[in-house]
């Protein structure tokens, strides 16, 4: 048994598919399958049920996956401790970012990060929150930029910025001339939403339901850009995060209206594993991001 075998096992548990797990581990499917079989022979237990077309773990397999994640976290910790013996801001850094933040934040912060820390080798990964958390737990990511939700609480959270949500309507909508709206204006209105898995969906739904709005049951978007295009076509209204509308003006016929009483917001944070010896590195990264984005969000 070696560390690589444990990585194969955890990847298979994550993707529930041999080919996708093999692709994620950068090996062939026969190699991954063979190593899993070899691991079973070495341990003398059956990890997978092979009578189904789906990847199903036995109870023993699930227990081993949990233990493998713990081992991989400890291995990552050892590597971080070794890395910390040199300069703090050198070497590889794997950063995750959620899709409703990445396209709008990264263009502002990447030039600054590469200028401030030229000896850091930055790797970026855009995934939904649940996947980023899994990657953090197994050590595949060093830190992640996410919207603070209940699932991120086990990690150290460094605040980056508080982001407003604005009501987005078509320039043909009766609200298009409004300077601001009370959240109660959404009462009995249908709201276009992102599909399941996006934390922004749950946060926006919370505000909308509290205001008496309801979700449009006939459509769910996979991205903010799809939502923006639906609004431009006067097919509905939605809530858009502030950074996504920065410098947008009335592009494609969409108007963005501030909301009050209460003002919908979400907290964007940088998260990393508790106990990491590279805490100073992540705190410095967060500080640079805060300083870079602060002027962008000033009214």
């Amino acid at each position: 048994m070696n560390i690589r075998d444990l990585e194969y096992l955890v990847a298979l548990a994550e993707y529930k598919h041999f080919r996708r797990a093999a692709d994620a581990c950068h090996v062939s499917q026969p190699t991954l399958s063979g190593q899993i079989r070899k691991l079973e022979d070495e341990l003398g237990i059956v990890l997978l049920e092979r009578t189904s077309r789906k990847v199903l773990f036995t109870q023993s397999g699930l227990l081993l996956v949990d233990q493998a994640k713990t081992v991989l976290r400890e291995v990552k910790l050892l590597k971080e401790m070794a890395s910390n013996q040199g300069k703090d801001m050198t070497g590889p850094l794997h950063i995750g970012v959620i899709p409703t933040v990445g396209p709008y934040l990264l263009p502002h912060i990447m030039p600054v990060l590469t200028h401030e820390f030229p000896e850091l080798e930055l790797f970026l990964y855009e995934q939904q929150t649940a996947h980023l958390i899994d990657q953090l737990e197994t050590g595949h990511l060093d830190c992640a930029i996410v919207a603070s939700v209940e699932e991120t609480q086990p990690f150290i959270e460094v605040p980056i910025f508080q982001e407003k949500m604005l009501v987005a309507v078509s320039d043909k909508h009766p609200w298009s001339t409004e300077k601001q709206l009370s959240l109660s204006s959404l009462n009995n209105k249908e709201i276009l939403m992102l599909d399941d898995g996006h934390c922004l969906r749950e946060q926006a739904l919370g505000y909308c339901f509290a205001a008496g709005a309801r979700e449009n049951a006939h459509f769910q978007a996979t991205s903010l850009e799809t939502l923006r295009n639906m609004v431009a076509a006067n097919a509905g209204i939605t809530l858009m995060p502030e950074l996504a509308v920065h410098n947008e003006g009335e592009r494609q016929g969409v108007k963005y209206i501030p909301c009050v009483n209460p003002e919908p917001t979400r907290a964007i944070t940088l998260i990393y594993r508790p106990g990491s010896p590279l805490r100073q590195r992540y705190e410095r990264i967060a500080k640079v991001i805060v300083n870079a984005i602060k002027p962008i969000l000033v009214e």
Side-chain angles (χ1 to χ4, degrees):
M1 182 194 307
N2 55 48
I3 297 301
R4 195 64 174 148
D5 292 338
L6 299 182
E7 291 176 341
Y8 294 157
L9 184 67
V10 170
L12 190 58
E14 178 182 346
Y15 290 97
K16 302 291 192 300
H17 191 281
F18 274 96
R19 181 182 58 77
R20 288 198 289 269
D23 289 345
C25 295
H26 307 292
V27 296
S28 68
Q29 182 174 329
T31 295
L32 185 140
S33 181
Q35 287 301 114
I36 295 294
R37 178 80 72 176
K38 180 181 175 182
L39 187 60
E40 288 181 313
D41 293 340
E42 182 178 348
L43 296 173
I45 60 175
V46 177
L47 301 174
L48 303 173
E49 296 180 19
R50 290 183 169 83
T51 58
S52 171
R53 295 178 62 185
K54 296 182 179 180
V55 174
L56 296 176
F57 279 82
T58 64
Q59 186 62 34
S60 296
L62 292 174
L63 291 174
L64 189 61
V65 167
D66 287 339
Q67 190 60 39
K69 289 180 178 180
T70 300
V71 171
L72 292 176
R73 281 196 298 269
E74 293 301 315
V75 169
K76 180 67 176 179
L77 183 60
L78 285 173
K79 290 180 178 179
E80 288 180 347
M81 291 175 68
S83 175
N84 205 34
Q85 298 304 309
K87 296 180 180 178
D88 286 337
M89 308 306 289
T90 63
L93 179 65
H94 299 263
I95 306 177
V97 60
I98 55 176
T100 56
V101 168
Y104 316 105
L105 177 66
L106 293 179
H108 295 294
I109 67 172
M110 286 306 297
V112 181
L113 289 175
T114 53
H115 177 266
E116 289 289 328
F117 311 117
E119 295 185 48
L120 271 184
E121 187 180 6
L122 298 175
F123 296 88
L124 302 172
Y125 306 87
E126 186 179 77
Q127 295 284 350
Q128 293 180 359
T129 302
H131 187 76
L132 294 181
I133 288 175
D134 287 341
Q135 295 291 293
L136 268 176
E137 288 178 339
T138 57
H140 288 90
L141 289 178
D142 297 305
C143 59
I145 299 171
V146 299
S148 181
V149 291
E150 184 178 352
E151 291 77 10
T152 61
Q153 291 178 5
F155 298 92
I156 302 298
E157 295 190 78
V158 185
I160 298 179
F161 60 93
Q162 197 77 13
E163 186 175 35
K164 303 173 186 176
M165 298 184 205
L166 296 92
V167 176
V169 302
S170 164
D171 59 4
K172 301 178 181 63
H173 194 278
W175 290 349
S176 62
T177 58
E178 298 290 335
K179 298 301 181 183
Q180 70 176 28
L181 290 169
S182 171
L183 194 64
S184 61
S185 300
L186 300 181
N187 186 38
N188 290 324
K189 298 295 188 296
E190 280 196 345
I191 310 295
L192 297 172
M193 289 288 175
L194 292 169
D195 61 7
D196 292 334
H198 291 278
C199 56
L200 178 60
R201 167 188 168 82
E202 303 307 319
Q203 292 162 328
L205 278 175
Y207 283 108
C208 290
F209 287 165
R214 59 187 182 276
E215 179 182 5
N216 185 316
H218 299 284
F219 176 79
Q220 288 185 353
T222 58
S223 70
L224 288 179
E225 294 312 305
T226 302
L227 278 182
R228 198 193 311 268
N229 289 330
M230 289 292 287
V231 171
N234 205 22
I237 63 177
T238 193
L239 289 179
M240 274 281 182
E242 181 180 10
L243 201 57
V245 307
H246 178 67
N247 282 340
E248 283 296 312
E250 297 178 23
R251 183 174 75 91
Q252 299 178 339
V254 180
K255 299 275 289 189
Y256 304 101
I257 310 168
C259 215
V260 295
N261 300 323
E263 181 180 63
T265 63
R266 63 174 181 167
I268 306 301
T269 65
L270 183 143
I271 62 174
Y272 60 90
R273 289 178 297 277
S276 172
L278 297 181
R279 175 171 184 159
Q280 183 177 358
R281 172 182 289 192
Y282 307 137
E283 297 283 345
R284 290 182 65 183
I285 290 288
K287 184 176 181 180
V288 168
I289 294 175
V290 168
N291 291 335
I293 203 64
K294 188 181 298 182
I296 306 299
L297 298 177
V298 171
E299 294 184 289

